[in-house]
Amino acid sequence: MTAQPVQNKARKATRPKPPTLTNIRAAEEADLIRWTPEEVVEMKLLPYRSPRTLRRACNARRVFHHNDGGRITFSPMSIRAEHERTLVAPLAA
């Protein structure tokens, strides 16, 4: 059996699909998610190895977090802000 050359077929340009109601609701609800320090360490969202050190950093106000009713929680927005804060720019930039 000989290998047949693959022919590239021209594809039609497709319009992007408009967002559906379920996609809009899912995006809005994603900003309402809150993680505990234990979950953040378990999912490795921040470079901390134990929830205790993460809580201490939050109490010292070194990490972006939410203080919901006296409990330390993290939202996707606070995780993004912490990543932006610790970003190192390359020398070429």
Side-chain angles (χ1 to χ4, degrees):
M1 294 177 65
T2 60
Q4 298 292 328
V6 177
Q7 296 179 1
N8 293 333
K9 294 182 179 180
R11 294 185 176 182
K12 293 181 182 178
T14 58
R15 285 184 265 158
K17 295 180 181 178
T20 62
L21 187 59
T22 55
N23 291 346
I24 293 171
R25 284 184 183 158
E28 289 174 355
E29 289 175 4
D31 289 336
L32 299 177
I33 294 173
R34 298 295 172 112
W35 295 297
T36 63
E38 290 80 11
E39 292 171 330
V40 170
V41 169
E42 181 183 319
M43 292 187 289
K44 298 182 180 179
L45 297 176
L46 292 176
Y48 288 90
R49 293 186 179 184
S50 73
R52 181 177 180 176
T53 57
L54 180 56
R55 273 193 229 97
R56 283 187 175 182
C58 291
N59 290 335
R61 298 184 187 266
R62 286 184 272 141
V63 177
F64 284 99
H65 67 282
H66 298 274
N67 198 5
D68 296 331
R71 293 188 175 138
I72 296 172
T73 59
F74 298 89
S75 68
M77 180 185 67
S78 61
I79 298 291
R80 280 188 218 107
E82 184 61 22
H83 284 288
E84 288 177 18
R85 185 185 70 82
T86 59
L87 177 70
V88 177
L91 290 175

